[in-house]
Amino acid sequence: MQILPPTPDGLARAVAHLRSGGVVGLPTETVYGLAAKYDDPSAVAAVFAAKERPRFDPLIVHLADAAALPRVVAGPLPDGLDTLIEAAWPGPLTIVLPRRDILDLVTAGLPHVAVRVPAHPVARTVLREVGPLVAPSANRFGRISPTTATDVVRELGDRVPLVLDGGRSTVGLESTIVGFVDGRPVLLRPGGLPLDVITSHLGALTPLAPGGVIAPGQLPSHYAPHTPLVLVDDLAEIPAEAPVLLTHGSAERLPLQPGVVVVLSETGDADEAAHHLFRALRELDAVGAERIYAERWTERVGLGLAIADRLERAATR
Ligand code: TXA
Ligand code: MG
């Protein structure tokens, strides 16, 4: 895989490759995506193949701006959604809405489509040039999402010819996904947009009924390093010499001599911790130890909700 700089020449090569039905690694502010034209069946199939993603797991359609929504979404928007869109787009919010006649492969045959307008300038330039793109996170299925172009190369190697380099993703974890059941908003995935932004426009979110799986990709095990990850509530549970992920403070909090230690945020700041989370998991995975130990994230406010969610799924096998 070749890493392209976001120069006019690099952008032109990526755009040409996408227009001709190719697949390209694309930086966004959340994580890197694996992009292809949303209306090209063989390009979309190539995205599933490169990720080894099961076809029951639908893809997010990325748009250059909200004005492009009617190309993929049918019908009027639910109450309050227009002002939420104004406040949150471009940015880390994905919305699931009734779809137009688009490829079944994109939505896994569901009557709804997930849409998002990313904020990263490189993604926006490419979207303006090529039109709507599917872009799942550019990792092999079930693994840690990439937050740099080099991560994409490590995940997908020669399965994909090109990745555009847009620097490290600023948010660091995936978008928040909201959907609607009987007209009421539901949270499908916590992510880079804090919930209070959503509830201030849509009102309280309805919890998903048990078994009501309408985000098929939200499997209990996800974002997993190769090394088994153990979540701990008490640092005394961590054996000596082990690689450790701490949510805050410093290595001095550990009672026994640890191996490699990564601190998400010295001050316990959730935005900073989210930015570092996937890089930290990759770094600890690379140690090649028998297990990684991670301190549980307990404050479920702001991006803390998404950090806690990703750590729990990373620890599930
Ligand atoms: O931040 C993000 O959202 C990143 C960047 C690249 O934009 N993309 C991303 O895509 O995280 P992916 O494919 O890794 O995760 C998308 C999630 C999956 O859990 C999928 O099941 C869900 O969105 N999803 C997609 N389409 C859906 C639909 N029509 N209905 C319900 N859930 C859907
Ligand atoms: Mg993903």
Side-chain angles (χ1 to χ4, degrees), residues 28 30-33 51 53 57-60 62 94 96 106-107 110 112-114 116 135-137 139 173-175 177 188-189 214-218:
T28 88
T30 56
V31 299
Y32 275 64
K51 281 181 58 81
R53 183 180 178 112
D57 193 0
L59 306 178
I60 299 173
H62 293 63
T94 294
V96 176
V106 170
T107 66
L110 296 170
H112 296 83
V113 60
R116 144 166 149 80
S137 53
N139 49 279
L173 44 76
E174 302 81 355
S175 59
I177 308 182
L188 300 179
R189 176 176 75 183
I214 60 170
Q218 289 306 95

PDB file of all heavy atoms in Angstrom, residues 28 30-33 51 53 57-60 62 94 96 106-107 110 112-114 116 135-137 139 173-175 177 188-189 214-218, ligand 1:
ATOM      1  N   THR A  28     -10.324  10.537   8.398  1.00  0.00           N
ATOM      2  CA  THR A  28     -11.424  11.371   8.900  1.00  0.00           C
ATOM      3  C   THR A  28     -11.028  11.808  10.314  1.00  0.00           C
ATOM      4  O   THR A  28     -10.034  11.318  10.863  1.00  0.00           O
ATOM      5  CB  THR A  28     -12.809  10.668   8.942  1.00  0.00           C
ATOM      6  OG1 THR A  28     -12.971   9.994  10.175  1.00  0.00           O
ATOM      7  CG2 THR A  28     -13.013   9.731   7.757  1.00  0.00           C
ATOM      8  N   THR A  30     -12.513  11.131  13.003  1.00  0.00           N
ATOM      9  CA  THR A  30     -12.762  10.091  14.014  1.00  0.00           C
ATOM     10  C   THR A  30     -11.683   9.021  13.918  1.00  0.00           C
ATOM     11  O   THR A  30     -10.852   8.888  14.820  1.00  0.00           O
ATOM     12  CB  THR A  30     -14.158   9.471  13.824  1.00  0.00           C
ATOM     13  OG1 THR A  30     -14.263   8.961  12.487  1.00  0.00           O
ATOM     14  CG2 THR A  30     -15.243  10.492  14.102  1.00  0.00           C
ATOM     15  N   VAL A  31     -11.717   8.247  12.825  1.00  0.00           N
ATOM     16  CA  VAL A  31     -10.712   7.212  12.538  1.00  0.00           C
ATOM     17  C   VAL A  31     -10.565   7.182  11.021  1.00  0.00           C
ATOM     18  O   VAL A  31     -11.333   7.827  10.314  1.00  0.00           O
ATOM     19  CB  VAL A  31     -11.162   5.813  13.056  1.00  0.00           C
ATOM     20  CG1 VAL A  31     -11.363   5.822  14.572  1.00  0.00           C
ATOM     21  CG2 VAL A  31     -12.445   5.328  12.354  1.00  0.00           C
ATOM     22  N   TYR A  32      -9.576   6.433  10.518  1.00  0.00           N
ATOM     23  CA  TYR A  32      -9.430   6.301   9.057  1.00  0.00           C
ATOM     24  C   TYR A  32     -10.493   5.347   8.523  1.00  0.00           C
ATOM     25  O   TYR A  32     -10.816   4.337   9.143  1.00  0.00           O
ATOM     26  CB  TYR A  32      -8.037   5.773   8.700  1.00  0.00           C
ATOM     27  CG  TYR A  32      -6.994   6.874   8.604  1.00  0.00           C
ATOM     28  CD1 TYR A  32      -6.646   7.618   9.728  1.00  0.00           C
ATOM     29  CD2 TYR A  32      -6.368   7.174   7.398  1.00  0.00           C
ATOM     30  CE1 TYR A  32      -5.710   8.640   9.638  1.00  0.00           C
ATOM     31  CE2 TYR A  32      -5.417   8.184   7.303  1.00  0.00           C
ATOM     32  CZ  TYR A  32      -5.097   8.915   8.420  1.00  0.00           C
ATOM     33  OH  TYR A  32      -4.169   9.922   8.319  1.00  0.00           O
ATOM     34  N   GLY A  33     -11.032   5.690   7.344  1.00  0.00           N
ATOM     35  CA  GLY A  33     -12.027   4.844   6.698  1.00  0.00           C
ATOM     36  C   GLY A  33     -11.451   4.181   5.456  1.00  0.00           C
ATOM     37  O   GLY A  33     -10.391   4.564   4.957  1.00  0.00           O
ATOM     38  N   LYS A  51     -11.698  -5.960   4.227  1.00  0.00           N
ATOM     39  CA  LYS A  51     -11.858  -5.965   5.686  1.00  0.00           C
ATOM     40  C   LYS A  51     -12.205  -7.346   6.236  1.00  0.00           C
ATOM     41  O   LYS A  51     -12.226  -7.532   7.456  1.00  0.00           O
ATOM     42  CB  LYS A  51     -13.002  -5.009   6.098  1.00  0.00           C
ATOM     43  CG  LYS A  51     -12.637  -3.545   6.130  1.00  0.00           C
ATOM     44  CD  LYS A  51     -13.837  -2.707   6.571  1.00  0.00           C
ATOM     45  CE  LYS A  51     -14.403  -3.073   7.934  1.00  0.00           C
ATOM     46  NZ  LYS A  51     -13.694  -2.520   9.090  1.00  0.00           N
ATOM     47  N   ARG A  53     -15.148  -8.369   6.141  1.00  0.00           N
ATOM     48  CA  ARG A  53     -16.335  -7.980   6.906  1.00  0.00           C
ATOM     49  C   ARG A  53     -17.533  -8.792   6.446  1.00  0.00           C
ATOM     50  O   ARG A  53     -17.775  -8.924   5.251  1.00  0.00           O
ATOM     51  CB  ARG A  53     -16.599  -6.498   6.661  1.00  0.00           C
ATOM     52  CG  ARG A  53     -17.761  -5.894   7.428  1.00  0.00           C
ATOM     53  CD  ARG A  53     -17.838  -4.428   7.035  1.00  0.00           C
ATOM     54  NE  ARG A  53     -18.906  -3.679   7.626  1.00  0.00           N
ATOM     55  CZ  ARG A  53     -18.733  -2.699   8.521  1.00  0.00           C
ATOM     56  NH1 ARG A  53     -17.522  -2.406   8.958  1.00  0.00           N
ATOM     57  NH2 ARG A  53     -19.753  -2.013   8.961  1.00  0.00           N
ATOM     58  N   ASP A  57     -23.254  -6.745   7.913  1.00  0.00           N
ATOM     59  CA  ASP A  57     -22.869  -5.532   8.636  1.00  0.00           C
ATOM     60  C   ASP A  57     -22.827  -4.341   7.677  1.00  0.00           C
ATOM     61  O   ASP A  57     -21.906  -4.217   6.887  1.00  0.00           O
ATOM     62  CB  ASP A  57     -21.499  -5.764   9.280  1.00  0.00           C
ATOM     63  CG  ASP A  57     -21.162  -4.687  10.296  1.00  0.00           C
ATOM     64  OD1 ASP A  57     -21.982  -3.769  10.494  1.00  0.00           O
ATOM     65  OD2 ASP A  57     -20.073  -4.772  10.888  1.00  0.00           O
ATOM     66  N   PRO A  58     -23.836  -3.451   7.735  1.00  0.00           N
ATOM     67  CA  PRO A  58     -23.957  -2.383   6.730  1.00  0.00           C
ATOM     68  C   PRO A  58     -22.901  -1.287   6.886  1.00  0.00           C
ATOM     69  O   PRO A  58     -22.230  -1.197   7.915  1.00  0.00           O
ATOM     70  CB  PRO A  58     -25.353  -1.820   6.998  1.00  0.00           C
ATOM     71  CG  PRO A  58     -25.638  -2.133   8.422  1.00  0.00           C
ATOM     72  CD  PRO A  58     -24.917  -3.412   8.738  1.00  0.00           C
ATOM     73  N   LEU A  59     -22.774  -0.462   5.850  1.00  0.00           N
ATOM     74  CA  LEU A  59     -21.732   0.573   5.800  1.00  0.00           C
ATOM     75  C   LEU A  59     -22.342   1.962   5.948  1.00  0.00           C
ATOM     76  O   LEU A  59     -23.496   2.186   5.582  1.00  0.00           O
ATOM     77  CB  LEU A  59     -21.012   0.500   4.447  1.00  0.00           C
ATOM     78  CG  LEU A  59     -20.430  -0.858   4.060  1.00  0.00           C
ATOM     79  CD1 LEU A  59     -19.799  -0.772   2.667  1.00  0.00           C
ATOM     80  CD2 LEU A  59     -19.393  -1.316   5.079  1.00  0.00           C
ATOM     81  N   ILE A  60     -21.537   2.894   6.467  1.00  0.00           N
ATOM     82  CA  ILE A  60     -21.956   4.295   6.552  1.00  0.00           C
ATOM     83  C   ILE A  60     -21.668   4.979   5.215  1.00  0.00           C
ATOM     84  O   ILE A  60     -20.572   4.845   4.668  1.00  0.00           O
ATOM     85  CB  ILE A  60     -21.204   5.026   7.680  1.00  0.00           C
ATOM     86  CG1 ILE A  60     -21.498   4.380   9.045  1.00  0.00           C
ATOM     87  CG2 ILE A  60     -21.569   6.515   7.700  1.00  0.00           C
ATOM     88  CD1 ILE A  60     -20.659   4.939  10.192  1.00  0.00           C
ATOM     89  N   HIS A  62     -20.831   8.364   3.459  1.00  0.00           N
ATOM     90  CA  HIS A  62     -20.265   9.665   3.817  1.00  0.00           C
ATOM     91  C   HIS A  62     -20.607  10.677   2.729  1.00  0.00           C
ATOM     92  O   HIS A  62     -20.487  10.372   1.541  1.00  0.00           O
ATOM     93  CB  HIS A  62     -18.745   9.550   3.982  1.00  0.00           C
ATOM     94  CG  HIS A  62     -18.353   8.697   5.159  1.00  0.00           C
ATOM     95  ND1 HIS A  62     -18.655   7.357   5.245  1.00  0.00           N
ATOM     96  CD2 HIS A  62     -17.693   8.999   6.297  1.00  0.00           C
ATOM     97  CE1 HIS A  62     -18.205   6.877   6.396  1.00  0.00           C
ATOM     98  NE2 HIS A  62     -17.606   7.850   7.057  1.00  0.00           N
ATOM     99  N   THR A  94     -23.236  10.057  13.154  1.00  0.00           N
ATOM    100  CA  THR A  94     -23.851   9.272  12.075  1.00  0.00           C
ATOM    101  C   THR A  94     -25.329   9.117  12.391  1.00  0.00           C
ATOM    102  O   THR A  94     -25.695   8.860  13.546  1.00  0.00           O
ATOM    103  CB  THR A  94     -23.162   7.897  11.957  1.00  0.00           C
ATOM    104  OG1 THR A  94     -21.812   8.102  11.530  1.00  0.00           O
ATOM    105  CG2 THR A  94     -23.876   6.991  10.961  1.00  0.00           C
ATOM    106  N   VAL A  96     -29.034   7.244  11.250  1.00  0.00           N
ATOM    107  CA  VAL A  96     -29.659   6.162  10.481  1.00  0.00           C
ATOM    108  C   VAL A  96     -31.085   6.582  10.129  1.00  0.00           C
ATOM    109  O   VAL A  96     -31.881   6.881  11.021  1.00  0.00           O
ATOM    110  CB  VAL A  96     -29.634   4.842  11.277  1.00  0.00           C
ATOM    111  CG1 VAL A  96     -30.372   3.741  10.519  1.00  0.00           C
ATOM    112  CG2 VAL A  96     -28.196   4.417  11.563  1.00  0.00           C
ATOM    113  N   VAL A 106     -24.857  -2.018   0.545  1.00  0.00           N
ATOM    114  CA  VAL A 106     -24.456  -0.924   1.434  1.00  0.00           C
ATOM    115  C   VAL A 106     -25.205  -1.010   2.763  1.00  0.00           C
ATOM    116  O   VAL A 106     -24.624  -0.820   3.835  1.00  0.00           O
ATOM    117  CB  VAL A 106     -24.711   0.449   0.758  1.00  0.00           C
ATOM    118  CG1 VAL A 106     -24.535   1.599   1.747  1.00  0.00           C
ATOM    119  CG2 VAL A 106     -23.784   0.630  -0.443  1.00  0.00           C
ATOM    120  N   THR A 107     -26.515  -1.312   2.697  1.00  0.00           N
ATOM    121  CA  THR A 107     -27.335  -1.303   3.918  1.00  0.00           C
ATOM    122  C   THR A 107     -27.579  -2.714   4.456  1.00  0.00           C
ATOM    123  O   THR A 107     -28.375  -2.891   5.371  1.00  0.00           O
ATOM    124  CB  THR A 107     -28.707  -0.650   3.656  1.00  0.00           C
ATOM    125  OG1 THR A 107     -29.438  -1.470   2.742  1.00  0.00           O
ATOM    126  CG2 THR A 107     -28.562   0.744   3.083  1.00  0.00           C
ATOM    127  N   LEU A 110     -31.163  -3.674   4.778  1.00  0.00           N
ATOM    128  CA  LEU A 110     -32.053  -2.994   5.728  1.00  0.00           C
ATOM    129  C   LEU A 110     -32.774  -1.837   5.021  1.00  0.00           C
ATOM    130  O   LEU A 110     -32.270  -1.291   4.046  1.00  0.00           O
ATOM    131  CB  LEU A 110     -31.244  -2.435   6.916  1.00  0.00           C
ATOM    132  CG  LEU A 110     -30.542  -3.458   7.799  1.00  0.00           C
ATOM    133  CD1 LEU A 110     -29.596  -2.765   8.770  1.00  0.00           C
ATOM    134  CD2 LEU A 110     -31.575  -4.295   8.557  1.00  0.00           C
ATOM    135  N   HIS A 112     -33.028   1.042   6.114  1.00  0.00           N
ATOM    136  CA  HIS A 112     -32.421   2.291   6.560  1.00  0.00           C
ATOM    137  C   HIS A 112     -30.984   2.391   6.093  1.00  0.00           C
ATOM    138  O   HIS A 112     -30.332   1.383   5.861  1.00  0.00           O
ATOM    139  CB  HIS A 112     -32.452   2.384   8.088  1.00  0.00           C
ATOM    140  CG  HIS A 112     -33.828   2.446   8.635  1.00  0.00           C
ATOM    141  ND1 HIS A 112     -34.587   1.317   8.848  1.00  0.00           N
ATOM    142  CD2 HIS A 112     -34.589   3.487   9.000  1.00  0.00           C
ATOM    143  CE1 HIS A 112     -35.765   1.675   9.316  1.00  0.00           C
ATOM    144  NE2 HIS A 112     -35.803   2.990   9.422  1.00  0.00           N
ATOM    145  N   VAL A 113     -30.507   3.634   5.992  1.00  0.00           N
ATOM    146  CA  VAL A 113     -29.108   3.862   5.623  1.00  0.00           C
ATOM    147  C   VAL A 113     -28.466   4.767   6.678  1.00  0.00           C
ATOM    148  O   VAL A 113     -29.112   5.681   7.201  1.00  0.00           O
ATOM    149  CB  VAL A 113     -28.989   4.487   4.215  1.00  0.00           C
ATOM    150  CG1 VAL A 113     -29.702   5.834   4.116  1.00  0.00           C
ATOM    151  CG2 VAL A 113     -27.531   4.636   3.796  1.00  0.00           C
ATOM    152  N   ALA A 114     -27.202   4.485   6.997  1.00  0.00           N
ATOM    153  CA  ALA A 114     -26.445   5.332   7.932  1.00  0.00           C
ATOM    154  C   ALA A 114     -25.689   6.383   7.128  1.00  0.00           C
ATOM    155  O   ALA A 114     -25.035   6.048   6.137  1.00  0.00           O
ATOM    156  CB  ALA A 114     -25.478   4.474   8.739  1.00  0.00           C
ATOM    157  N   ARG A 116     -23.254  10.175   7.252  1.00  0.00           N
ATOM    158  CA  ARG A 116     -22.444  11.084   8.066  1.00  0.00           C
ATOM    159  C   ARG A 116     -21.694  12.048   7.163  1.00  0.00           C
ATOM    160  O   ARG A 116     -21.308  11.692   6.052  1.00  0.00           O
ATOM    161  CB  ARG A 116     -21.505  10.225   8.923  1.00  0.00           C
ATOM    162  CG  ARG A 116     -20.125  10.738   9.192  1.00  0.00           C
ATOM    163  CD  ARG A 116     -19.495   9.922  10.319  1.00  0.00           C
ATOM    164  NE  ARG A 116     -18.045   9.825  10.184  1.00  0.00           N
ATOM    165  CZ  ARG A 116     -17.208  10.791  10.550  1.00  0.00           C
ATOM    166  NH1 ARG A 116     -17.651  11.917  11.057  1.00  0.00           N
ATOM    167  NH2 ARG A 116     -15.889  10.634  10.386  1.00  0.00           N
ATOM    168  N   ALA A 135     -17.577   4.221   3.781  1.00  0.00           N
ATOM    169  CA  ALA A 135     -16.267   4.186   4.446  1.00  0.00           C
ATOM    170  C   ALA A 135     -16.399   3.582   5.840  1.00  0.00           C
ATOM    171  O   ALA A 135     -16.624   4.297   6.810  1.00  0.00           O
ATOM    172  CB  ALA A 135     -15.643   5.576   4.530  1.00  0.00           C
ATOM    173  N   PRO A 136     -16.273   2.259   5.934  1.00  0.00           N
ATOM    174  CA  PRO A 136     -16.144   1.647   7.259  1.00  0.00           C
ATOM    175  C   PRO A 136     -14.743   1.927   7.786  1.00  0.00           C
ATOM    176  O   PRO A 136     -13.859   2.322   7.006  1.00  0.00           O
ATOM    177  CB  PRO A 136     -16.317   0.152   6.976  1.00  0.00           C
ATOM    178  CG  PRO A 136     -15.826  -0.020   5.579  1.00  0.00           C
ATOM    179  CD  PRO A 136     -16.148   1.273   4.851  1.00  0.00           C
ATOM    180  N   SER A 137     -14.520   1.758   9.078  1.00  0.00           N
ATOM    181  CA  SER A 137     -13.174   1.931   9.614  1.00  0.00           C
ATOM    182  C   SER A 137     -12.223   0.978   8.880  1.00  0.00           C
ATOM    183  O   SER A 137     -12.587  -0.156   8.557  1.00  0.00           O
ATOM    184  CB  SER A 137     -13.174   1.669  11.118  1.00  0.00           C
ATOM    185  OG  SER A 137     -13.754   0.409  11.412  1.00  0.00           O
ATOM    186  N   ASN A 139      -9.924  -1.153   9.226  1.00  0.00           N
ATOM    187  CA  ASN A 139      -9.263  -2.234   9.953  1.00  0.00           C
ATOM    188  C   ASN A 139      -9.866  -3.557   9.503  1.00  0.00           C
ATOM    189  O   ASN A 139     -10.959  -3.575   8.952  1.00  0.00           O
ATOM    190  CB  ASN A 139      -9.497  -2.075  11.457  1.00  0.00           C
ATOM    191  CG  ASN A 139     -10.960  -1.835  11.769  1.00  0.00           C
ATOM    192  OD1 ASN A 139     -11.455  -0.714  11.651  1.00  0.00           O
ATOM    193  ND2 ASN A 139     -11.669  -2.890  12.126  1.00  0.00           N
ATOM    194  N   LEU A 173     -11.758   8.084  18.146  1.00  0.00           N
ATOM    195  CA  LEU A 173     -12.668   6.935  18.089  1.00  0.00           C
ATOM    196  C   LEU A 173     -13.867   7.289  17.209  1.00  0.00           C
ATOM    197  O   LEU A 173     -14.061   8.438  16.839  1.00  0.00           O
ATOM    198  CB  LEU A 173     -13.053   6.409  19.476  1.00  0.00           C
ATOM    199  CG  LEU A 173     -13.423   7.378  20.585  1.00  0.00           C
ATOM    200  CD1 LEU A 173     -14.797   7.923  20.366  1.00  0.00           C
ATOM    201  CD2 LEU A 173     -13.365   6.663  21.930  1.00  0.00           C
ATOM    202  N   GLU A 174     -14.667   6.260  16.857  1.00  0.00           N
ATOM    203  CA  GLU A 174     -15.663   6.390  15.794  1.00  0.00           C
ATOM    204  C   GLU A 174     -16.800   7.334  16.171  1.00  0.00           C
ATOM    205  O   GLU A 174     -17.023   7.649  17.339  1.00  0.00           O
ATOM    206  CB  GLU A 174     -16.251   5.013  15.452  1.00  0.00           C
ATOM    207  CG  GLU A 174     -15.227   3.982  15.003  1.00  0.00           C
ATOM    208  CD  GLU A 174     -14.508   3.330  16.155  1.00  0.00           C
ATOM    209  OE1 GLU A 174     -14.711   3.729  17.323  1.00  0.00           O
ATOM    210  OE2 GLU A 174     -13.718   2.412  15.891  1.00  0.00           O
ATOM    211  N   SER A 175     -17.597   7.689  15.147  1.00  0.00           N
ATOM    212  CA  SER A 175     -18.729   8.595  15.336  1.00  0.00           C
ATOM    213  C   SER A 175     -19.803   7.991  16.242  1.00  0.00           C
ATOM    214  O   SER A 175     -19.922   6.769  16.357  1.00  0.00           O
ATOM    215  CB  SER A 175     -19.346   8.911  13.968  1.00  0.00           C
ATOM    216  OG  SER A 175     -19.781   7.725  13.336  1.00  0.00           O
ATOM    217  N   ILE A 177     -23.578   7.018  16.761  1.00  0.00           N
ATOM    218  CA  ILE A 177     -24.646   6.670  15.805  1.00  0.00           C
ATOM    219  C   ILE A 177     -26.003   6.766  16.487  1.00  0.00           C
ATOM    220  O   ILE A 177     -26.234   6.159  17.541  1.00  0.00           O
ATOM    221  CB  ILE A 177     -24.477   5.251  15.230  1.00  0.00           C
ATOM    222  CG1 ILE A 177     -23.076   5.047  14.656  1.00  0.00           C
ATOM    223  CG2 ILE A 177     -25.532   4.998  14.142  1.00  0.00           C
ATOM    224  CD1 ILE A 177     -22.849   3.675  14.024  1.00  0.00           C
ATOM    225  N   LEU A 188     -27.373   4.091  18.939  1.00  0.00           N
ATOM    226  CA  LEU A 188     -26.923   2.811  18.384  1.00  0.00           C
ATOM    227  C   LEU A 188     -25.450   2.553  18.691  1.00  0.00           C
ATOM    228  O   LEU A 188     -25.017   1.411  18.717  1.00  0.00           O
ATOM    229  CB  LEU A 188     -27.167   2.767  16.878  1.00  0.00           C
ATOM    230  CG  LEU A 188     -28.625   2.926  16.456  1.00  0.00           C
ATOM    231  CD1 LEU A 188     -28.764   2.885  14.946  1.00  0.00           C
ATOM    232  CD2 LEU A 188     -29.483   1.839  17.078  1.00  0.00           C
ATOM    233  N   ARG A 189     -24.679   3.617  18.871  1.00  0.00           N
ATOM    234  CA  ARG A 189     -23.265   3.458  19.242  1.00  0.00           C
ATOM    235  C   ARG A 189     -22.793   4.744  19.882  1.00  0.00           C
ATOM    236  O   ARG A 189     -22.896   5.801  19.266  1.00  0.00           O
ATOM    237  CB  ARG A 189     -22.417   3.167  17.990  1.00  0.00           C
ATOM    238  CG  ARG A 189     -20.906   3.090  18.267  1.00  0.00           C
ATOM    239  CD  ARG A 189     -20.095   2.703  17.036  1.00  0.00           C
ATOM    240  NE  ARG A 189     -19.961   3.806  16.081  1.00  0.00           N
ATOM    241  CZ  ARG A 189     -19.343   3.706  14.908  1.00  0.00           C
ATOM    242  NH1 ARG A 189     -18.815   2.549  14.523  1.00  0.00           N
ATOM    243  NH2 ARG A 189     -19.261   4.748  14.104  1.00  0.00           N
ATOM    244  N   ILE A 214     -30.504  -3.112  15.865  1.00  0.00           N
ATOM    245  CA  ILE A 214     -30.612  -2.445  14.571  1.00  0.00           C
ATOM    246  C   ILE A 214     -29.273  -1.841  14.136  1.00  0.00           C
ATOM    247  O   ILE A 214     -29.175  -1.271  13.090  1.00  0.00           O
ATOM    248  CB  ILE A 214     -31.765  -1.423  14.514  1.00  0.00           C
ATOM    249  CG1 ILE A 214     -31.610  -0.341  15.538  1.00  0.00           C
ATOM    250  CG2 ILE A 214     -33.114  -2.105  14.658  1.00  0.00           C
ATOM    251  CD1 ILE A 214     -32.600   0.790  15.340  1.00  0.00           C
ATOM    252  N   ALA A 215     -28.221  -1.997  14.940  1.00  0.00           N
ATOM    253  CA  ALA A 215     -26.861  -1.701  14.485  1.00  0.00           C
ATOM    254  C   ALA A 215     -26.108  -3.023  14.481  1.00  0.00           C
ATOM    255  O   ALA A 215     -25.419  -3.366  15.434  1.00  0.00           O
ATOM    256  CB  ALA A 215     -26.164  -0.690  15.380  1.00  0.00           C
ATOM    257  N   PRO A 216     -26.224  -3.779  13.384  1.00  0.00           N
ATOM    258  CA  PRO A 216     -25.750  -5.159  13.374  1.00  0.00           C
ATOM    259  C   PRO A 216     -24.251  -5.283  13.660  1.00  0.00           C
ATOM    260  O   PRO A 216     -23.790  -6.336  14.071  1.00  0.00           O
ATOM    261  CB  PRO A 216     -26.044  -5.633  11.949  1.00  0.00           C
ATOM    262  CG  PRO A 216     -26.956  -4.615  11.367  1.00  0.00           C
ATOM    263  CD  PRO A 216     -26.753  -3.344  12.101  1.00  0.00           C
ATOM    264  N   GLY A 217     -23.491  -4.203  13.448  1.00  0.00           N
ATOM    265  CA  GLY A 217     -22.046  -4.293  13.655  1.00  0.00           C
ATOM    266  C   GLY A 217     -21.643  -4.189  15.118  1.00  0.00           C
ATOM    267  O   GLY A 217     -20.488  -4.410  15.462  1.00  0.00           O
ATOM    268  N   GLN A 218     -22.605  -3.837  15.993  1.00  0.00           N
ATOM    269  CA  GLN A 218     -22.241  -3.635  17.391  1.00  0.00           C
ATOM    270  C   GLN A 218     -22.173  -4.967  18.136  1.00  0.00           C
ATOM    271  O   GLN A 218     -22.982  -5.245  19.005  1.00  0.00           O
ATOM    272  CB  GLN A 218     -23.220  -2.672  18.067  1.00  0.00           C
ATOM    273  CG  GLN A 218     -23.048  -1.235  17.582  1.00  0.00           C
ATOM    274  CD  GLN A 218     -21.620  -0.754  17.723  1.00  0.00           C
ATOM    275  OE1 GLN A 218     -20.830  -0.822  16.786  1.00  0.00           O
ATOM    276  NE2 GLN A 218     -21.228  -0.293  18.882  1.00  0.00           N
TER     277      GLN A 218
HETATM  278  O1  TXA B   1     -16.445   7.408  12.653  1.00  0.00           O
HETATM  279  C1  TXA B   1     -16.960   6.568  11.921  1.00  0.00           C
HETATM  280  O2  TXA B   1     -18.177   6.358  11.897  1.00  0.00           O
HETATM  281  C2  TXA B   1     -16.023   5.790  10.987  1.00  0.00           C
HETATM  282  C3  TXA B   1     -15.386   6.759   9.993  1.00  0.00           C
HETATM  283  C4  TXA B   1     -14.496   6.086   8.991  1.00  0.00           C
HETATM  284  O3  TXA B   1     -16.405   7.499   9.378  1.00  0.00           O
HETATM  285  N1  TXA B   1     -16.705   4.730  10.334  1.00  0.00           N
HETATM  286  C5  TXA B   1     -17.112   3.609  11.007  1.00  0.00           C
HETATM  287  O4  TXA B   1     -17.686   2.633  10.190  1.00  0.00           O
HETATM  288  O5  TXA B   1     -16.954   3.446  12.200  1.00  0.00           O
HETATM  289  P1  TXA B   1     -17.848   1.125  10.661  1.00  0.00           P
HETATM  290  O6  TXA B   1     -18.364   0.439   9.438  1.00  0.00           O
HETATM  291  O7  TXA B   1     -16.596   0.627  11.229  1.00  0.00           O
HETATM  292  O8  TXA B   1     -18.985   1.164  11.729  1.00  0.00           O
HETATM  293  C6  TXA B   1     -20.306   1.508  11.304  1.00  0.00           C
HETATM  294  C7  TXA B   1     -21.344   0.992  12.215  1.00  0.00           C
HETATM  295  C8  TXA B   1     -21.456  -0.512  12.230  1.00  0.00           C
HETATM  296  O9  TXA B   1     -21.620  -0.937  13.562  1.00  0.00           O
HETATM  297  C9  TXA B   1     -22.725  -0.760  11.416  1.00  0.00           C
HETATM  298  O10 TXA B   1     -23.376  -1.934  11.804  1.00  0.00           O
HETATM  299  C10 TXA B   1     -23.540   0.478  11.707  1.00  0.00           C
HETATM  300  O11 TXA B   1     -22.598   1.502  11.746  1.00  0.00           O
HETATM  301  N2  TXA B   1     -24.469   0.737  10.615  1.00  0.00           N
HETATM  302  C11 TXA B   1     -24.178   1.032   9.341  1.00  0.00           C
HETATM  303  N3  TXA B   1     -25.295   1.141   8.589  1.00  0.00           N
HETATM  304  C12 TXA B   1     -26.330   0.915   9.408  1.00  0.00           C
HETATM  305  C13 TXA B   1     -27.740   0.862   9.227  1.00  0.00           C
HETATM  306  N4  TXA B   1     -28.303   1.048   8.044  1.00  0.00           N
HETATM  307  N5  TXA B   1     -28.512   0.597  10.307  1.00  0.00           N
HETATM  308  C14 TXA B   1     -27.933   0.389  11.503  1.00  0.00           C
HETATM  309  N6  TXA B   1     -26.610   0.396  11.738  1.00  0.00           N
HETATM  310  C15 TXA B   1     -25.813   0.665  10.708  1.00  0.00           C
END
